[in-house]
């Protein structure tokens, strides 16, 4: 019988425990993934007990409190704190989401926090998104036209503008792509839900004149067609968008032009 083993550096070890300060009124424990690829040590799960009576309501508030008051070595990304930039995307309580919009009260028991899954880890909760950004650049996410520009803006009717709703709101947090098994196994060739939603954003734009060229770039057994519509992407999107629908719309455009 074959024996399957995980790489040594994928086995998470018990980590350090950081208890709450004496007299904590509302203690809550956070289990946080810690890993430094340059350090040589195995990943570990450190435990931090935070007094929520002296902390903001969001998971990001707790992370900032831990970094500022308990352990300055904890590493994570954050910026806007308003669910706009996508920087603080991570796996919280088993779901990819944004730490700045995830209420601590939504999690029962210990709050377990990991980086976005199936991505190389730069350090702790920071994933390496270089490949994802390169894939985003590959779809040429800008308006492409052949006709001369008008004197003012390129006008759209209200109906044409409405077609972009549910697309332009994507903040490229990559929660959806890193929740997609097809992207886990074929991420080097499959573009993933986030990038394909962005690709459809330009296909749906009435002002863009490069639909044929864009569809040619997606016509590939892997770049588009690895999607099997299991809807993990739609379920996990912190902005409530539907990448699976956008992918289906691209497939419909592919069929329509044949």
């Amino acid at each position: 019988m074959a024996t399957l083993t995980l790489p040594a550096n994928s086995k998470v070890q018990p980590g350090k425990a950081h208890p709450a300060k004496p007299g904590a009124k509302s203690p809550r424990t956070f289990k946080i993934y810690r890993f430094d690829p340059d350090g040589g040590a195995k990943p570990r799960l450190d435990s931090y007990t935070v007094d929520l009576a002296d902390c903001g309501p969001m998971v990001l508030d707790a992370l900032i409190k831990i970094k500022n008051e308990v352990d300055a070595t904890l590493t994570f990304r954050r910026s806007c704190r308003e669910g706009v930039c996508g920087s603080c995307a991570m796996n919280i309580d088993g779901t990819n989401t944004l730490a700045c919009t995830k209420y601590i009260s939504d999690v029962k028991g210990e709050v377990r926090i990991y980086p976005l899954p199936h991505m190389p880890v730069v350090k702790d909760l920071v994933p390496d998104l270089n490949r994802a950004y390169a894939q985003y650049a590959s779809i040429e996410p800008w308006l492409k036209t052949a006709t001369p520009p008008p004197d003012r803006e390129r006008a759209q009717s209200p109906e044409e503008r409405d077609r972009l709703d549910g697309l332009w709101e994507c903040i490229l947090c990559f929660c959806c792509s890193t929740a997609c098994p097809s992207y886990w196994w074929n991420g080097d060739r499959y573009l993933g839900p986030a990038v394909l939603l962005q690709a459809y954003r330009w296909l749906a734009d009435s002002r863009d004149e490069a639909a044929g060229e864009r569809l040619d770039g997606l016509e590939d057994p892997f770049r588009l067609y690895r999607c099997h519509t299991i809807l993990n992407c739609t379920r996990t999107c912190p902005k409530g968008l539907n990448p699976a629908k956008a992918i289906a719309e691209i497939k419909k455009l592919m069929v329509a032009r044949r």
Side-chain angles (χ1 to χ4, degrees), residues 11-30:
K11 299 176 182 178
V12 182
Q13 308 295 311
K16 303 175 183 178
H18 302 265
K21 296 178 180 179
K25 298 177 181 178
S26 181
R28 189 73 178 276
T29 300
F30 293 77

Side-chain angles (χ1 to χ4, degrees), residues 5-201:
T5 59
L6 293 171
N9 66 356
S10 70
K11 299 176 182 178
V12 182
Q13 308 295 311
K16 303 175 183 178
H18 302 265
K21 296 178 180 179
K25 298 177 181 178
S26 181
R28 189 73 178 276
T29 300
F30 293 77
K31 295 289 187 70
I32 302 178
Y33 180 90
R34 305 297 308 276
F35 179 52
D36 183 356
D38 297 328
K42 296 179 181 180
R44 67 181 194 269
L45 207 59
D46 282 0
S47 175
Y48 302 86
T49 303
V50 174
D51 184 3
L52 297 187
D54 186 31
C55 179
M58 303 300 183
V59 171
L60 183 59
D61 293 318
L63 289 172
I64 293 173
K65 183 177 179 65
I66 290 168
K67 185 172 180 67
N68 289 345
E69 302 178 10
V70 182
D71 186 354
T73 67
L74 177 62
T75 304
F76 55 90
R77 291 190 180 113
R78 89 290 182 273
S79 184
C80 73
R81 301 183 67 171
E82 298 291 342
V84 175
C85 70
S87 298
C88 64
M90 54 190 72
N91 186 281
I92 302 170
D93 193 34
T95 300
N96 295 349
T97 189
L98 303 177
C100 66
T101 60
K102 181 69 173 179
Y103 283 96
I104 299 170
S105 58
D106 287 345
V107 182
K108 297 180 180 179
E110 297 175 338
V111 183
R112 293 179 173 265
I113 307 174
Y114 292 83
L116 293 175
H118 291 265
M119 302 290 274
V121 175
V122 177
K123 189 173 185 288
D124 296 344
L125 302 176
V126 178
D128 185 347
L129 298 176
N130 282 332
R131 182 177 66 191
Y133 283 126
Q135 290 172 326
Y136 176 55
S138 76
I139 65 164
E140 300 184 342
W142 53 81
L143 193 67
K144 300 173 72 174
T145 62
T147 58
D151 294 334
R152 298 182 63 185
E153 69 273 8
R154 296 182 186 271
Q156 283 185 304
S157 69
E159 293 76 19
E160 290 169 337
R161 171 58 185 80
D162 287 345
R163 292 176 59 193
L164 302 181
D165 286 343
L167 303 171
W168 66 267
E169 300 96 327
C170 174
I171 58 175
L172 289 173
C173 63
F174 296 105
C175 284
C176 60
S177 291
T178 53
C180 173
S182 289
Y183 193 73
W184 298 346
W185 312 135
N186 303 286
D188 57 333
R189 298 178 66 183
Y190 175 47
L191 293 180
V195 172
L196 289 173
L197 180 140
Q198 290 286 340
Y200 183 63
R201 177 256 178 273

